[in-house]
Amino acid sequence: MQAKTPEQSKTILTDMVLPGETNPLNNLFGGELLARMDRAASIAARRHSRRIVVTASVNHVAFSKAVPLGSVVTVEAKVSRAFKTSMEVFIDVWIEDRESGERTIANEAIYTFVAVDDTGRPVSVPEVKPETALEKERYAAALRRKQLSLLLAGKIKPNDATELKALFE
Ligand SMILES: CC(C)(COP(=O)(O)OP(=O)(O)OC[C@H]1O[C@@H](n2cnc3c(N)ncnc32)[C@H](O)[C@@H]1OP(=O)(O)O)[C@@H](O)C(=O)NCCC(=O)NCCS
C-alpha cells in the first residue's frame, strides 16, 4: 500500500451555528461540535484508507474558546499518523470574524479511527508521509498518544507504554 500525505486526507466542513445548536449562554453546544468533528475526522480517515472506518476513541478535546450563535465554523481534519489498522486524526476548529473574515483557532481535537471490513474486523491501512513541520511534529508524537489511549482503556500494561516511560527517564 502506498503511503499518503496528510494533505490527501484533508477534509474541511464549514457550517453556521444555528439557535437549536446552542447552550443557555448562546454558544455552540459541546456535543454538537463533537459530532461535527467526528464527521469530518471520519471522512478524513476514509479518504486515507478507502475503507469503512469506525471511531475507536476520542483522545483529546480542548474547548478553549466559546463559539457564539451565528458563527461560521470551519472544522479541518487530517490523518496525522497511521499504524497497522488505526489512524490518528487531528482536527482544528476555526471561527471566522464576520466583518474582517479573519480566522481564529477555537478548538482542537484528536480522534482515533480503525479501518474495518464488511464484518467489522480491523484491516491494514497505508502509512502516512508527513510533509510540513507541523505534520512532522504531530506524526512524531502520535505513538505516545496511542500508547496513552490504550493504557487508559486498559488495553496495554504500563510497562508496554515505552514512549510514556521515556518521558520520565
Ligand atoms: C475499534 C474496534 C474495531 C477495535 O477492535 P479491537 O477488537 O479492539 O481490535 P484491535 O485490538 O485489533 O485494535 C485495532 C486497532 O485499534 C487500536 N485501538 C483499539 N482501541 C483503541 C483505543 N482505545 N485507543 C487507541 N487505539 C485503539 C489498536 O491499537 C489497533 O491499532 P493498530 O492495528 O493500528 O495497532 C472495535 O472496538 C469496535 O468496533 N468498536 C466500536 C466502534 C464504533 O462503533 N464506534 C462508533 C461509536 S458510536
Side-chain angles (χ1 to χ4, degrees), residues 54-57 83-86 112 114 116 120 122 146 149-150 153 155:
V54 294
T55 316
S57 75
F83 297 94
K84 187 165 174 287
T85 65
S86 65
T112 299
V114 175
V116 295
K146 175 178 160 84
S149 179
L150 290 171
K155 294 188 169 182

Side-chain angles (χ1 to χ4, degrees), residues 96-145:
E96 191 178 304
D97 185 82
R98 188 176 51 220
E99 287 173 10
S100 67
E102 199 178 309
R103 295 197 326 162
T104 46
I105 190 106
N107 297 289
E108 67 169 31
I110 304 169
Y111 285 48
T112 299
F113 284 79
V114 175
V116 295
D117 65 14
D118 291 343
T119 64
R121 259 198 310 256
V123 289
S124 300
V125 297
E127 286 179 12
V128 167
K129 195 173 65 179
E131 292 181 312
T132 67
L134 180 61
E135 288 168 2
K136 285 177 184 165
E137 191 184 299
R138 289 176 170 181
Y139 179 97
L143 179 58
R144 188 166 71 223
R145 288 189 288 268

Side-chain angles (χ1 to χ4, degrees), residues 8-143:
Q8 286 177 280
S9 63
K10 186 160 96 177
T11 301
I12 298 174
L13 292 185
T14 301
D15 204 353
M16 281 202 327
V17 177
L18 297 172
E21 298 161 344
T22 57
N23 64 21
L25 291 174
N26 277 333
N27 294 318
L28 180 61
F29 179 57
E32 170 63 27
L33 184 57
L34 287 173
R36 291 187 192 191
M37 294 193 293
D38 197 27
R39 229 170 274 143
S42 134
I43 294 169
R46 268 167 69 152
R47 284 181 171 158
H48 181 80
S49 63
R50 295 286 164 213
R51 289 288 195 165
I52 299 169
V53 297
V54 294
T55 316
S57 75
V58 176
N59 307 98
H60 165 79
V61 184
F63 292 120
S64 42
K65 213 168 175 198
V67 179
L69 176 67
S71 299
V72 170
V73 183
T74 299
V75 176
E76 183 182 300
K78 282 190 208 175
V79 175
S80 41
R81 183 157 177 177
F83 297 94
K84 187 165 174 287
T85 65
S86 65
M87 292 157 278
E88 182 191 83
V89 183
F90 236 96
I91 303 136
D92 295 300
V93 180
W94 309 82
I95 49 177
E96 191 178 304
D97 185 82
R98 188 176 51 220
E99 287 173 10
S100 67
E102 199 178 309
R103 295 197 326 162
T104 46
I105 190 106
N107 297 289
E108 67 169 31
I110 304 169
Y111 285 48
T112 299
F113 284 79
V114 175
V116 295
D117 65 14
D118 291 343
T119 64
R121 259 198 310 256
V123 289
S124 300
V125 297
E127 286 179 12
V128 167
K129 195 173 65 179
E131 292 181 312
T132 67
L134 180 61
E135 288 168 2
K136 285 177 184 165
E137 191 184 299
R138 289 176 170 181
Y139 179 97
L143 179 58

